[in-house]
Amino acid sequence: MLIALMAKDKAGALQTRLDNRDAHVAYLKSSGVVSQAGPFLNQGGEMIGSLVILDVSDMEAAEKWAAEDPYAKAGLFSEVRMIAWKKVI
């Protein structure tokens, strides 16, 4: 099951993102369930959120994965949405 995780950073939290980026990227690479991932950018090119496509057994597994993300543990996000996603192309 593919799940799209879309997260918006808290205002003014770029330094929190940068401080936790290495741990976050290592988690993405080591978890074995990330299909695609990358940051959302503002018009100035600064990172302001995240899109992660998870390939997991169910929504509960996605929620558990999201709770262990170093960004989530650091309190980076103001909003997180997860929704089932179907890849067409």
Side-chain angles (χ1 to χ4, degrees), residues 36 75 80 83:
Q36 299 177 52
V80 176
I83 188 166

Side-chain angles (χ1 to χ4, degrees), residues 23-33 65:
H24 168 74
V25 171
Y27 182 63
L28 293 174
K29 290 178 179 180
S30 69
S31 68
V33 298
W65 184 93

